[in-house]
Short mmCIF file of all heavy atoms in Angstrom, two decimals:
data_model
loop_
_atom_site.label_atom_id
_atom_site.label_comp_id
_atom_site.label_asym_id
_atom_site.label_seq_id
_atom_site.Cartn_x
_atom_site.Cartn_y
_atom_site.Cartn_z
N MET A 1 13.33 -2.19 14.11
CA MET A 1 11.99 -2.74 13.64
C MET A 1 11.49 -3.89 14.54
O MET A 1 12.31 -4.77 14.76
CB MET A 1 12.08 -3.07 12.15
CG MET A 1 10.74 -3.19 11.41
SD MET A 1 9.96 -4.84 11.84
CE MET A 1 11.16 -6.03 11.15
N LYS A 2 10.29 -3.84 14.86
CA LYS A 2 9.70 -4.81 15.60
C LYS A 2 8.34 -5.25 15.06
O LYS A 2 7.58 -4.37 14.59
CB LYS A 2 9.44 -4.41 17.05
CG LYS A 2 9.38 -5.50 18.02
CD LYS A 2 9.35 -4.95 19.50
CE LYS A 2 8.91 -6.14 20.45
NZ LYS A 2 8.38 -5.72 21.57
N ILE A 3 8.10 -6.52 14.80
CA ILE A 3 6.78 -7.09 14.40
C ILE A 3 5.93 -7.26 15.61
O ILE A 3 6.29 -8.05 16.51
CB ILE A 3 6.89 -8.36 13.54
CG1 ILE A 3 7.94 -8.15 12.52
CG2 ILE A 3 5.60 -8.76 13.05
CD1 ILE A 3 8.67 -9.36 11.97
N ILE A 4 4.67 -6.73 15.59
CA ILE A 4 3.76 -7.01 16.60
C ILE A 4 2.40 -7.45 16.03
O ILE A 4 1.98 -7.19 14.89
CB ILE A 4 3.48 -5.81 17.56
CG1 ILE A 4 2.89 -4.70 16.83
CG2 ILE A 4 4.82 -5.37 18.26
CD1 ILE A 4 2.25 -3.60 17.61
N VAL A 5 1.70 -8.25 16.98
CA VAL A 5 0.34 -8.72 16.60
C VAL A 5 -0.59 -8.04 17.66
O VAL A 5 -0.33 -8.25 18.76
CB VAL A 5 0.15 -10.22 16.72
CG1 VAL A 5 -1.27 -10.60 16.51
CG2 VAL A 5 1.11 -10.93 15.71
N ASN A 6 -1.46 -7.18 17.18
CA ASN A 6 -2.32 -6.41 18.06
C ASN A 6 -3.68 -7.20 18.47
O ASN A 6 -3.82 -8.29 17.94
CB ASN A 6 -2.69 -5.08 17.41
CG ASN A 6 -3.52 -5.10 16.31
OD1 ASN A 6 -4.43 -5.92 16.03
ND2 ASN A 6 -3.34 -4.14 15.27
N ASP A 7 -4.52 -6.54 19.26
CA ASP A 7 -5.61 -7.23 19.89
C ASP A 7 -6.67 -7.64 18.86
O ASP A 7 -7.74 -8.27 19.16
CB ASP A 7 -6.21 -6.41 20.97
CG ASP A 7 -5.30 -6.34 22.22
OD1 ASP A 7 -4.48 -7.19 22.33
OD2 ASP A 7 -5.49 -5.46 23.05
N LYS A 8 -6.58 -7.14 17.64
CA LYS A 8 -7.58 -7.45 16.61
C LYS A 8 -7.45 -8.96 16.16
O LYS A 8 -8.33 -9.37 15.39
CB LYS A 8 -7.50 -6.53 15.41
CG LYS A 8 -7.93 -5.07 15.76
CD LYS A 8 -8.01 -4.22 14.55
CE LYS A 8 -6.73 -3.46 14.39
NZ LYS A 8 -6.79 -2.50 13.19
N CYS A 9 -6.37 -9.45 16.42
CA CYS A 9 -6.10 -10.94 15.99
C CYS A 9 -7.25 -11.88 16.47
O CYS A 9 -7.58 -11.91 17.62
CB CYS A 9 -4.80 -11.49 16.56
SG CYS A 9 -4.41 -13.11 16.08
N GLN A 10 -7.75 -12.62 15.46
CA GLN A 10 -8.81 -13.59 15.66
C GLN A 10 -8.25 -15.05 15.68
O GLN A 10 -9.05 -16.08 15.69
CB GLN A 10 -9.85 -13.45 14.79
CG GLN A 10 -10.67 -12.15 14.66
CD GLN A 10 -11.26 -11.73 16.05
OE1 GLN A 10 -11.82 -12.70 16.66
NE2 GLN A 10 -11.24 -10.49 16.55
N GLY A 11 -7.00 -15.15 15.46
CA GLY A 11 -6.37 -16.52 15.39
C GLY A 11 -6.68 -17.34 14.24
O GLY A 11 -6.70 -18.55 14.35
N CYS A 12 -6.92 -16.78 13.08
CA CYS A 12 -7.33 -17.44 11.81
C CYS A 12 -6.34 -18.46 11.30
O CYS A 12 -6.61 -19.35 10.51
CB CYS A 12 -7.98 -16.53 10.82
SG CYS A 12 -6.48 -15.52 10.12
N GLY A 13 -5.06 -18.05 11.65
CA GLY A 13 -3.95 -18.90 11.10
C GLY A 13 -3.36 -18.55 9.80
O GLY A 13 -2.44 -19.20 9.35
N THR A 14 -3.85 -17.57 9.09
CA THR A 14 -3.40 -17.10 7.91
C THR A 14 -1.94 -16.75 7.77
O THR A 14 -1.17 -17.18 6.95
CB THR A 14 -4.17 -16.00 7.32
OG1 THR A 14 -5.62 -16.31 7.10
CG2 THR A 14 -3.74 -15.54 5.87
N CYS A 15 -1.54 -15.96 8.83
CA CYS A 15 -0.18 -15.51 8.92
C CYS A 15 0.85 -16.67 9.07
O CYS A 15 1.81 -16.73 8.48
CB CYS A 15 0.03 -14.39 10.05
SG CYS A 15 -0.57 -15.09 11.66
N GLU A 16 0.45 -17.65 9.85
CA GLU A 16 1.33 -18.79 10.13
C GLU A 16 1.49 -19.60 8.76
O GLU A 16 2.51 -20.09 8.38
CB GLU A 16 0.81 -19.72 11.25
CG GLU A 16 1.76 -20.85 11.54
CD GLU A 16 1.26 -21.71 12.68
OE1 GLU A 16 0.69 -21.20 13.67
OE2 GLU A 16 1.41 -22.93 12.56
N GLY A 17 0.32 -19.72 8.09
CA GLY A 17 0.36 -20.36 6.77
C GLY A 17 1.39 -19.70 5.74
O GLY A 17 1.95 -20.38 5.07
N ILE A 18 1.38 -18.45 5.88
CA ILE A 18 2.20 -17.56 4.87
C ILE A 18 3.59 -17.61 5.38
O ILE A 18 4.54 -17.59 4.54
CB ILE A 18 1.59 -16.16 4.78
CG1 ILE A 18 0.23 -16.18 4.10
CG2 ILE A 18 2.58 -15.33 4.03
CD1 ILE A 18 -0.55 -14.97 4.04
N CYS A 19 3.83 -17.42 6.56
CA CYS A 19 5.22 -17.00 7.15
C CYS A 19 5.35 -17.79 8.47
O CYS A 19 5.42 -17.21 9.63
CB CYS A 19 5.16 -15.54 7.35
SG CYS A 19 6.84 -14.84 7.38
N GLU A 20 5.66 -19.06 8.46
CA GLU A 20 5.72 -19.81 9.73
C GLU A 20 7.05 -19.61 10.47
O GLU A 20 7.13 -20.04 11.64
CB GLU A 20 5.55 -21.38 9.38
CG GLU A 20 6.57 -21.98 8.49
CD GLU A 20 6.42 -23.47 8.17
OE1 GLU A 20 5.28 -23.98 8.52
OE2 GLU A 20 7.30 -23.97 7.62
N GLU A 21 8.02 -18.99 9.74
CA GLU A 21 9.22 -18.79 10.51
C GLU A 21 9.04 -17.66 11.56
O GLU A 21 9.86 -17.63 12.49
CB GLU A 21 10.38 -18.18 9.45
CG GLU A 21 10.64 -19.23 8.39
CD GLU A 21 10.04 -18.86 7.07
OE1 GLU A 21 8.74 -18.67 7.18
OE2 GLU A 21 10.61 -18.82 6.12
N VAL A 22 8.10 -16.80 11.25
CA VAL A 22 7.77 -15.66 12.17
C VAL A 22 6.56 -15.80 13.06
O VAL A 22 6.61 -15.47 14.31
CB VAL A 22 7.72 -14.31 11.39
CG1 VAL A 22 7.32 -13.20 12.22
CG2 VAL A 22 9.08 -14.12 10.53
N PHE A 23 5.41 -16.35 12.57
CA PHE A 23 4.24 -16.40 13.19
C PHE A 23 3.82 -17.78 13.64
O PHE A 23 4.08 -18.73 12.78
CB PHE A 23 3.08 -15.81 12.42
CG PHE A 23 3.32 -14.30 11.95
CD1 PHE A 23 3.78 -14.17 10.74
CD2 PHE A 23 3.16 -13.28 12.89
CE1 PHE A 23 4.13 -12.78 10.30
CE2 PHE A 23 3.35 -11.97 12.37
CZ PHE A 23 3.86 -11.72 11.22
N GLN A 24 3.30 -17.85 14.87
CA GLN A 24 2.80 -19.15 15.32
C GLN A 24 1.46 -18.91 16.05
O GLN A 24 1.39 -17.98 16.93
CB GLN A 24 3.63 -19.76 16.30
CG GLN A 24 3.42 -21.33 16.71
CD GLN A 24 4.41 -21.85 17.53
OE1 GLN A 24 4.35 -21.59 18.78
NE2 GLN A 24 5.37 -22.62 16.98
N VAL A 25 0.44 -19.65 15.69
CA VAL A 25 -0.93 -19.40 16.30
C VAL A 25 -1.05 -20.36 17.48
O VAL A 25 -0.96 -21.64 17.23
CB VAL A 25 -2.00 -19.50 15.25
CG1 VAL A 25 -3.34 -19.25 15.93
CG2 VAL A 25 -1.86 -18.40 14.24
N LYS A 26 -1.45 -19.84 18.53
CA LYS A 26 -1.62 -20.84 19.75
C LYS A 26 -2.71 -20.21 20.56
O LYS A 26 -2.80 -18.89 20.83
CB LYS A 26 -0.25 -20.86 20.54
CG LYS A 26 0.18 -22.21 20.90
CD LYS A 26 1.39 -22.20 21.72
CE LYS A 26 1.71 -23.59 22.32
NZ LYS A 26 2.95 -23.54 23.05
N ASN A 27 -3.58 -20.98 21.09
CA ASN A 27 -4.69 -20.55 21.95
C ASN A 27 -5.53 -19.33 21.27
O ASN A 27 -5.84 -18.43 22.02
CB ASN A 27 -4.18 -20.19 23.32
CG ASN A 27 -3.56 -21.40 23.89
OD1 ASN A 27 -3.92 -22.45 23.90
ND2 ASN A 27 -2.42 -21.12 24.67
N GLY A 28 -5.73 -19.47 19.93
CA GLY A 28 -6.52 -18.49 19.30
C GLY A 28 -5.98 -17.10 19.08
O GLY A 28 -6.57 -16.18 18.94
N ARG A 29 -4.57 -17.20 19.14
CA ARG A 29 -3.93 -15.83 19.00
C ARG A 29 -2.57 -16.12 18.31
O ARG A 29 -1.80 -16.97 18.71
CB ARG A 29 -3.81 -15.35 20.35
CG ARG A 29 -3.03 -13.97 20.46
CD ARG A 29 -3.92 -12.82 20.23
NE ARG A 29 -3.14 -11.71 19.96
CZ ARG A 29 -3.07 -10.53 20.72
NH1 ARG A 29 -3.63 -10.54 21.85
NH2 ARG A 29 -2.28 -9.63 20.38
N ALA A 30 -2.24 -15.24 17.28
CA ALA A 30 -0.91 -15.30 16.68
C ALA A 30 0.18 -14.65 17.66
O ALA A 30 -0.01 -13.66 18.22
CB ALA A 30 -0.83 -14.62 15.32
N LYS A 31 1.42 -15.42 17.60
CA LYS A 31 2.48 -14.86 18.32
C LYS A 31 3.67 -14.64 17.33
O LYS A 31 3.82 -15.36 16.44
CB LYS A 31 2.92 -15.83 19.34
CG LYS A 31 2.40 -15.59 20.73
CD LYS A 31 2.85 -16.64 21.77
CE LYS A 31 4.20 -17.14 21.59
NZ LYS A 31 4.62 -18.18 22.58
N VAL A 32 4.55 -13.67 17.69
CA VAL A 32 5.75 -13.55 16.80
C VAL A 32 6.77 -14.37 17.51
O VAL A 32 7.22 -14.03 18.63
CB VAL A 32 6.13 -11.92 16.82
CG1 VAL A 32 7.46 -11.80 16.06
CG2 VAL A 32 5.12 -11.20 16.06
N ILE A 33 7.24 -15.40 16.74
CA ILE A 33 8.17 -16.31 17.52
C ILE A 33 9.63 -15.89 17.22
O ILE A 33 10.57 -16.27 17.88
CB ILE A 33 7.99 -17.80 17.17
CG1 ILE A 33 7.86 -18.00 15.55
CG2 ILE A 33 6.69 -18.26 17.71
CD1 ILE A 33 7.91 -19.50 15.11
N LYS A 34 9.80 -15.09 15.95
CA LYS A 34 11.15 -14.61 15.71
C LYS A 34 10.95 -13.34 14.89
O LYS A 34 10.22 -13.28 13.95
CB LYS A 34 11.81 -15.68 14.72
CG LYS A 34 13.17 -16.07 15.15
CD LYS A 34 13.78 -17.07 14.28
CE LYS A 34 14.89 -17.78 14.99
NZ LYS A 34 15.52 -18.76 14.02
N ASN A 35 11.66 -12.23 15.38
CA ASN A 35 11.53 -10.98 14.79
C ASN A 35 12.36 -10.83 13.58
O ASN A 35 13.48 -10.28 13.65
CB ASN A 35 11.79 -9.96 15.92
CG ASN A 35 11.29 -8.56 15.48
OD1 ASN A 35 10.09 -8.32 15.46
ND2 ASN A 35 12.07 -7.53 15.25
N LEU A 36 11.94 -11.54 12.39
CA LEU A 36 12.67 -11.37 11.26
C LEU A 36 12.12 -10.55 10.23
O LEU A 36 10.95 -10.63 9.94
CB LEU A 36 12.73 -12.90 10.66
CG LEU A 36 13.39 -13.97 11.40
CD1 LEU A 36 13.26 -15.39 10.69
CD2 LEU A 36 14.90 -13.63 11.49
N ASP A 37 13.02 -9.64 9.69
CA ASP A 37 12.44 -8.79 8.59
C ASP A 37 12.59 -9.45 7.29
O ASP A 37 13.53 -9.26 6.48
CB ASP A 37 13.08 -7.47 8.56
CG ASP A 37 12.46 -6.36 7.83
OD1 ASP A 37 11.33 -6.69 7.39
OD2 ASP A 37 12.96 -5.24 7.67
N ILE A 38 11.62 -10.46 6.92
CA ILE A 38 11.72 -11.16 5.72
C ILE A 38 10.38 -10.95 4.91
O ILE A 38 9.39 -10.43 5.44
CB ILE A 38 11.85 -12.72 6.00
CG1 ILE A 38 10.93 -13.22 6.89
CG2 ILE A 38 13.35 -12.87 6.43
CD1 ILE A 38 11.02 -14.72 7.17
N PRO A 39 10.45 -11.09 3.57
CA PRO A 39 9.36 -10.68 2.68
C PRO A 39 8.01 -11.31 3.10
O PRO A 39 6.94 -10.70 2.86
CB PRO A 39 9.77 -11.21 1.27
CG PRO A 39 11.27 -11.24 1.29
CD PRO A 39 11.70 -11.58 2.74
N CYS A 40 7.97 -12.54 3.58
CA CYS A 40 6.70 -13.09 4.00
C CYS A 40 5.96 -12.36 5.01
O CYS A 40 4.74 -12.47 5.24
CB CYS A 40 6.80 -14.57 4.30
SG CYS A 40 7.76 -14.98 5.69
N VAL A 41 6.67 -11.51 5.82
CA VAL A 41 5.97 -10.84 6.92
C VAL A 41 5.06 -9.76 6.27
O VAL A 41 3.90 -9.59 6.64
CB VAL A 41 6.99 -10.07 7.78
CG1 VAL A 41 6.34 -9.04 8.72
CG2 VAL A 41 7.76 -11.11 8.51
N ASP A 42 5.59 -9.11 5.13
CA ASP A 42 4.73 -8.20 4.41
C ASP A 42 3.60 -8.79 3.73
O ASP A 42 2.45 -8.19 3.65
CB ASP A 42 5.64 -7.32 3.39
CG ASP A 42 6.75 -6.54 3.93
OD1 ASP A 42 6.52 -5.84 5.01
OD2 ASP A 42 7.85 -6.49 3.50
N GLU A 43 3.86 -9.94 3.33
CA GLU A 43 2.69 -10.69 2.75
C GLU A 43 1.58 -11.07 3.84
O GLU A 43 0.46 -10.88 3.60
CB GLU A 43 3.26 -12.04 2.19
CG GLU A 43 2.86 -12.39 0.77
CD GLU A 43 3.57 -13.60 0.30
OE1 GLU A 43 4.71 -13.62 0.10
OE2 GLU A 43 2.82 -14.68 0.26
N ALA A 44 2.04 -11.48 4.95
CA ALA A 44 1.19 -11.72 6.09
C ALA A 44 0.44 -10.47 6.49
O ALA A 44 -0.80 -10.44 6.73
CB ALA A 44 1.91 -12.32 7.23
N ILE A 45 1.06 -9.30 6.59
CA ILE A 45 0.45 -7.98 6.80
C ILE A 45 -0.64 -7.80 5.82
O ILE A 45 -1.82 -7.44 6.15
CB ILE A 45 1.50 -7.01 6.85
CG1 ILE A 45 2.34 -7.02 8.10
CG2 ILE A 45 0.80 -5.57 6.86
CD1 ILE A 45 3.50 -6.07 8.15
N GLU A 46 -0.33 -8.01 4.52
CA GLU A 46 -1.33 -7.73 3.50
C GLU A 46 -2.46 -8.72 3.54
O GLU A 46 -3.62 -8.32 3.35
CB GLU A 46 -0.62 -7.96 2.18
CG GLU A 46 -1.34 -7.52 0.89
CD GLU A 46 -0.66 -7.77 -0.28
OE1 GLU A 46 0.64 -7.78 -0.37
OE2 GLU A 46 -1.33 -7.91 -1.35
N PHE A 47 -2.32 -9.99 3.93
CA PHE A 47 -3.40 -10.95 3.89
C PHE A 47 -4.10 -11.19 5.23
O PHE A 47 -5.12 -11.82 5.32
CB PHE A 47 -2.94 -12.24 3.34
CG PHE A 47 -2.63 -12.12 1.86
CD1 PHE A 47 -1.42 -12.05 1.28
CD2 PHE A 47 -3.87 -12.13 0.93
CE1 PHE A 47 -1.18 -12.04 -0.05
CE2 PHE A 47 -3.57 -12.02 -0.43
CZ PHE A 47 -2.25 -12.01 -0.87
N CYS A 48 -3.61 -10.60 6.34
CA CYS A 48 -4.35 -10.83 7.54
C CYS A 48 -5.63 -10.05 7.44
O CYS A 48 -5.73 -8.84 7.21
CB CYS A 48 -3.54 -10.14 8.71
SG CYS A 48 -4.44 -9.97 10.26
N PRO A 49 -6.78 -10.80 7.72
CA PRO A 49 -8.17 -10.32 7.45
C PRO A 49 -8.40 -9.17 8.47
O PRO A 49 -9.35 -8.45 8.27
CB PRO A 49 -9.02 -11.47 7.55
CG PRO A 49 -8.20 -12.51 8.32
CD PRO A 49 -6.80 -12.29 8.02
N GLU A 50 -7.81 -9.19 9.58
CA GLU A 50 -8.11 -8.24 10.69
C GLU A 50 -7.23 -6.98 10.69
O GLU A 50 -7.43 -6.07 11.57
CB GLU A 50 -8.04 -8.99 12.04
CG GLU A 50 -8.86 -10.33 12.13
CD GLU A 50 -10.37 -10.08 11.98
OE1 GLU A 50 -10.80 -8.90 12.18
OE2 GLU A 50 -11.01 -10.90 11.42
N GLY A 51 -6.23 -6.94 9.90
CA GLY A 51 -5.23 -5.82 10.00
C GLY A 51 -4.49 -5.92 11.31
O GLY A 51 -4.26 -4.91 11.86
N ALA A 52 -4.26 -7.11 11.86
CA ALA A 52 -3.72 -7.22 13.17
C ALA A 52 -2.19 -7.19 13.34
O ALA A 52 -1.63 -7.17 14.34
CB ALA A 52 -4.28 -8.46 13.83
N ILE A 53 -1.50 -7.32 12.21
CA ILE A 53 -0.05 -7.37 12.20
C ILE A 53 0.51 -5.92 11.86
O ILE A 53 0.13 -5.33 10.88
CB ILE A 53 0.53 -8.33 11.18
CG1 ILE A 53 -0.11 -9.67 11.44
CG2 ILE A 53 1.98 -8.52 11.37
CD1 ILE A 53 0.06 -10.83 10.33
N GLU A 54 1.51 -5.54 12.59
CA GLU A 54 2.14 -4.21 12.49
C GLU A 54 3.62 -4.20 12.54
O GLU A 54 4.18 -5.05 13.30
CB GLU A 54 1.76 -3.16 13.38
CG GLU A 54 0.18 -2.99 13.50
CD GLU A 54 -0.25 -2.05 14.56
OE1 GLU A 54 0.35 -0.93 14.79
OE2 GLU A 54 -1.21 -2.42 15.32
N LYS A 55 4.32 -3.45 11.71
CA LYS A 55 5.76 -3.30 12.00
C LYS A 55 5.89 -1.97 12.59
O LYS A 55 5.44 -0.95 12.27
CB LYS A 55 6.47 -3.18 10.64
CG LYS A 55 6.75 -4.50 10.02
CD LYS A 55 7.54 -4.21 8.67
CE LYS A 55 7.95 -5.45 8.02
NZ LYS A 55 8.74 -5.18 6.80
N VAL A 56 6.61 -1.95 13.80
CA VAL A 56 6.83 -0.71 14.52
C VAL A 56 8.23 -0.45 14.74
O VAL A 56 9.21 -1.34 14.65
CB VAL A 56 6.13 -0.71 15.85
CG1 VAL A 56 4.60 -0.89 15.77
CG2 VAL A 56 6.58 -1.86 16.82
N GLU A 57 8.59 0.84 14.95
CA GLU A 57 10.06 1.16 15.28
C GLU A 57 10.38 0.69 16.63
O GLU A 57 9.56 0.73 17.56
CB GLU A 57 10.18 2.66 15.20
CG GLU A 57 10.04 3.09 13.75
CD GLU A 57 10.99 2.56 12.74
OE1 GLU A 57 12.19 2.40 13.07
OE2 GLU A 57 10.50 2.24 11.61
N ASP A 58 11.70 0.36 16.89
CA ASP A 58 12.06 -0.13 18.27
C ASP A 58 12.06 1.05 19.24
O ASP A 58 12.35 2.10 18.80
CB ASP A 58 13.45 -0.67 18.15
CG ASP A 58 13.45 -2.04 17.64
OD1 ASP A 58 12.40 -2.75 17.77
OD2 ASP A 58 14.44 -2.50 16.95
S1 SF4 B 1 -3.69 -13.53 10.04
FE1 SF4 B 1 -4.10 -11.89 11.37
S2 SF4 B 1 -6.07 -12.44 12.43
FE2 SF4 B 1 -5.19 -14.35 11.48
S3 SF4 B 1 -3.98 -15.32 13.06
FE3 SF4 B 1 -2.52 -13.97 11.87
S4 SF4 B 1 -2.53 -12.05 12.97
FE4 SF4 B 1 -4.35 -13.20 13.72
#
């Protein structure tokens, strides 16, 4: 499993606020800093206003 942020990201910072272990927003775009399968990732997926976070198979 891999966590990705797609091009719909607007850099709002919600994901970082929910799950700072995994997401960091820099230059208007969220980045996955650690590919951790932890519950806050699912929360960030749910609350991302752009639907920009996805879990994909390796
Ligand atoms: S919550 Fe979604 S739109 Fe906002 S910074 Fe994170 S990935 Fe981007």
Side-chain angles (χ1 to χ4, degrees):
M1 191 281 303
K2 199 174 171 206
I3 304 157
I4 60 160
V5 175
N6 67 36
D7 288 343
K8 291 189 266 182
C9 174
Q10 299 297 324
C12 70
T14 301
C15 55
E16 184 178 323
I18 293 171
C19 199
E20 63 181 6
E21 300 98 315
V22 172
F23 302 100
Q24 190 178 81
V25 178
K26 227 178 172 181
N27 301 322
R29 176 85 199 251
K31 262 180 35 180
V32 176
I33 51 170
K34 232 180 201 179
N35 199 64
L36 296 175
D37 196 5
I38 52 178
C40 65
V41 172
D42 294 316
E43 233 177 285
I45 289 171
E46 188 179 336
F47 287 104
C48 171
E50 308 298 333
I53 306 167
E54 299 174 51
K55 278 182 174 180
V56 296
E57 295 302 318
D58 283 329

